Amino acid sequence: MRAGDRLPPLEIPVTRTLIVAGAIASRDYQDVHHDPELARQKGTPDIFMNILTTNGLVGRYVTDHFGPTAVLRKVSIRLGAPNHPGDTMVLTGSVEETDGGTAVVRVTGTNGLGTHVTGTVTVTLPAEEATP
């Protein structure tokens, strides 16, 4: 792992089931995450993914790349365009900096509306896995 390394893109189909399951799993019962009619009444075209689901997907993206021994130390994200059912979110990332077995990875997730998420993830690896 070196500064400048790029992670391969990950395409995530944004399904109604993913949005609702993520909201339930994170105990976010706001109607905009599960009830299309109430979401429309509040000015959005459909239900949309909550930040906790996005946060989990960003973490998964990084640990999928670095492997099961990777430990997330910090995840800092900012949301933009919503993830609605029927779209696809594409996560991309690059290693911004490294310090021994720790790396800071910049992650961006885009969808058909634009940029859904931007942020950084600090991850550590055991010493024997951190060196190329």
Side-chain angles (χ1 to χ4, degrees), residues 6 10 24 27 36 39 45 49 75 86:
R6 295 204 174 280
L10 174 65
I24 291 169
R27 297 182 179 190
M49 186 177 287
V75 179

Side-chain angles (χ1 to χ4, degrees), residues 2 15 33 42-43 64 83 89 101 105 130:
R2 292 185 212 112
T15 65
H33 303 309
K42 292 184 177 181
D64 278 359
N83 267 338
M89 178 173 64
V105 180

Side-chain angles (χ1 to χ4, degrees), residues 51-132:
I51 192 169
L52 296 170
T53 303
T54 298
N55 197 63
L57 292 170
V58 166
R60 169 197 158 193
Y61 174 58
V62 172
T63 58
D64 278 359
H65 178 73
F66 288 104
T69 60
V71 177
L72 300 179
R73 298 295 180 186
K74 181 179 179 184
V75 179
S76 177
I77 63 170
R78 168 168 266 159
L79 292 183
N83 267 338
H84 293 291
D87 209 339
T88 298
M89 178 173 64
V90 179
L91 291 170
T92 57
S94 61
V95 177
E96 282 196 333
E97 60 186 81
T98 63
D99 182 12
T102 301
V104 176
V105 180
R106 172 143 311 271
V107 176
T108 302
T110 58
N111 61 30
L113 297 174
T115 302
H116 170 69
V117 63
T118 56
T120 57
V121 177
T122 303
V123 61
T124 59
L125 298 174
E128 64 274 6
E129 295 180 32
T131 54

Side-chain angles (χ1 to χ4, degrees), residues 1-23:
M1 126 180 100
R2 292 185 212 112
D5 286 354
R6 295 204 174 280
L7 282 65
L10 174 65
E11 291 188 11
I12 299 172
V14 181
T15 65
R16 193 166 300 279
T17 300
L18 175 63
I19 293 169
V20 174

